[in-house]
Amino acid sequence: MMRIVFIWCLLMSALGLQAQKLKVESLQLSEGETIAESERRLDKVQNQCAVLKVKMPDVLMRMEGNVIGEIVRRGNEAWVYITSGSKYFRLFPARHMPMDLAFPDYQVKVKSGCVYRLVLADEEEGAGMGADELFATGMSSYLGEDYAQAVPWFERAMKKGSVNAMMYLGNMYHHGQGVERNDKLFFYYTLMAAQSGQSRAQQEMFYIYRFGHGTQKDSLKAVDWLKKAVEQKNPDAYGQLCWCYMEGWGVEKNMTKAAELARKGAEAGDYEVAMVNLAMMYDAGEGVEKSHEKALEWLQKSAKLGGMKAKKLLDAYAEDEFSNRQPKRSFNDLWPEVIGNDD
């Protein structure tokens, strides 16, 4: 038996086909349905056979078990004559993987002369996989920029409770990756992930409410979600909440609180926002004691880790030093020219 299945799989592979599995949608006695006398069959001991009527998205080529005679085709059904008391069968479809069928699994007892109906459907790819495995499969396609392939895997993972899949799906709808761009769905999926406690999604909700993607702009809700991300020690959220306190956006302006958040974010490794914010605060003496040396130190740390704003500021500062420009400009003086209105 295993040899037959192995040869079948080799054949499918040689033909370049990827065999799908089938799943049982229903297996039950067809109450009140009888077999016409002209269509009846007897088993080897002259008892009337039961009939299993199979409906499936394929052609049933063969069925092993207590089967009597050949399979009969009736429209989109295959009729299989089986003996009373039969329990276990193996089905061989033309294009799908062979499958085993156990009547006891469905609380069905085969009786002489009765009609049974079996409905089979394509099993969703990855049906036997857990949420994490489904998400990892989707990520493999996503990182390979095969976004159309990533979407169904993320959807399957989400159905099994993957919060990360919710967040990635939201972002894909925002950027139109593998799907048509839809900021309503960006908002919906990200909100679900954020409500489930995903800190990156909570941080993303700040972005959504700040710029009004798929919903109305709302600074209070934006800051509220950002605070939730900070409570979970999301390193990137510190710098953004620091900016809110620096600008008085959604909260009362508080440079001391801003500096505290910037330091926590910088120490957690946020080189793009927190380190730069902390450097600018040292440069201006806002929320902290003024120190050009510490401002320079944090910008250098940021640039070393790949911070582009820090690198631009340091390059402009070095150019001023080289040209001996007078009066000397602080990093805050350089910001409008080098960075502009980029927050």
Side-chain angles (χ1 to χ4, degrees):
M1 180 64 64
M2 291 302 295
R3 177 180 170 82
I4 293 172
V5 176
F6 178 69
I7 293 172
W8 183 90
C9 292
L10 282 179
L11 177 61
M12 295 296 287
S13 177
L15 293 172
L17 302 174
Q18 185 175 1
Q20 273 187 279
K21 292 182 180 180
L22 289 167
K23 65 177 181 180
V24 176
E25 289 207 333
S26 63
L27 172 59
Q28 58 191 9
L29 171 68
S30 183
E31 297 280 358
E33 189 173 359
T34 59
I35 307 167
E37 188 171 349
S38 61
E39 294 177 327
R40 294 175 184 172
R41 284 184 192 174
L42 303 178
D43 63 18
K44 293 178 181 179
V45 293
Q46 301 305 300
N47 291 323
Q48 187 178 337
C49 292
V51 175
L52 177 66
K53 297 185 177 182
V54 184
K55 188 174 182 179
M56 61 193 296
D58 199 345
V59 177
L60 181 60
M61 302 300 291
R62 185 161 57 92
M63 185 162 156
E64 292 181 350
N66 294 324
V67 177
I68 302 298
E70 298 296 320
I71 295 172
V72 177
R73 315 290 174 187
R74 289 285 189 275
N76 63 347
E77 291 183 337
W79 291 14
V80 185
Y81 289 81
I82 57 179
T83 60
S84 177
S86 297
K87 294 182 179 180
Y88 305 104
F89 296 91
R90 171 162 282 192
L91 287 73
F92 290 85
R95 299 181 303 278
H96 290 73
M97 290 285 290
M99 69 175 293
D100 293 318
L101 181 68
F103 276 69
D105 290 347
Y106 302 90
Q107 291 75 51
V108 173
K109 293 182 179 180
V110 178
K111 296 181 180 180
S112 175
C114 292
V115 177
Y116 300 86
R117 288 191 173 274
L118 170 64
V119 179
L120 302 174
D122 286 314
E123 183 176 87
E124 187 177 70
E125 195 173 3
M129 297 163 65
D132 290 343
E133 191 177 358
L134 290 165
F135 175 70
T137 304
M139 278 303 296
S140 178
S141 297
Y142 182 87
L143 293 174
E145 298 186 2
D146 187 353
Y147 301 123
Q149 181 67 21
V151 169
W153 287 105
F154 286 152
E155 288 175 339
R156 292 167 194 145
M158 185 183 70
K159 288 176 184 176
K160 292 195 174 183
S162 172
V163 179
N164 288 328
M166 291 179 199
M167 192 193 71
Y168 270 88
L169 268 176
N171 271 282
M172 294 176 81
Y173 274 106
H174 178 50
H175 296 291
Q177 295 172 321
V179 289
E180 187 175 343
R181 181 169 179 170
N182 186 327
D183 273 352
K184 290 287 185 184
L185 289 176
F186 172 42
F187 170 77
Y188 173 70
Y189 284 125
T190 308
L191 178 62
M192 283 200 301
Q195 289 174 335
S196 298
Q198 221 278 8
S199 69
R200 285 183 60 194
Q202 290 170 346
Q203 181 192 353
E204 195 84 313
M205 289 303 296
F206 164 75
Y207 170 75
I208 285 173
Y209 277 118
R210 182 182 173 190
F211 295 104
H213 291 297
T215 188
Q216 294 294 315
K217 293 181 181 180
D218 192 320
S219 62
L220 296 179
K221 287 183 179 179
V223 170
D224 185 55
W225 278 113
L226 202 52
K227 286 179 177 178
K228 286 179 169 60
V230 165
E231 286 171 6
Q232 296 199 66
K233 295 181 170 55
N234 180 320
D236 296 329
Y238 287 109
Q240 291 177 322
L241 189 55
C242 162
W243 174 84
C244 294
Y245 278 104
M246 287 173 69
E247 299 295 325
W249 191 87
V251 291
E252 188 176 342
K253 185 172 182 177
N254 186 328
M255 296 306 292
T256 303
K257 181 69 175 177
E260 176 189 331
L261 288 163
R263 184 176 300 281
K264 286 181 179 179
E267 290 172 350
D270 177 13
Y271 61 85
E272 279 287 8
V273 180
M275 289 185 187
V276 175
N277 284 350
L278 187 57
M280 302 308 287
M281 295 174 84
Y282 273 118
D283 186 61
E286 293 183 317
V288 291
E289 187 177 343
K290 187 170 183 175
S291 171
H292 173 75
E293 291 72 22
K294 288 185 178 180
L296 183 61
E297 177 187 340
W298 280 111
L299 285 176
Q300 287 171 337
K301 284 183 180 180
S302 173
K304 187 175 181 180
L305 291 169
M308 294 307 298
K309 290 179 183 178
K311 187 177 185 307
K312 290 177 180 179
L313 287 166
L314 289 171
D315 287 347
Y317 180 75
E319 190 175 322
D320 275 9
E321 288 287 294
F322 180 77
S323 63
N324 197 27
R325 175 172 176 151
Q326 296 297 330
K328 287 187 175 182
R329 294 187 291 177
S330 69
F331 292 119
N332 278 281
D333 292 332
L334 290 166
W335 185 281
E337 178 185 318
V338 176
I339 309 299
N341 292 322
D342 183 6
D343 292 325

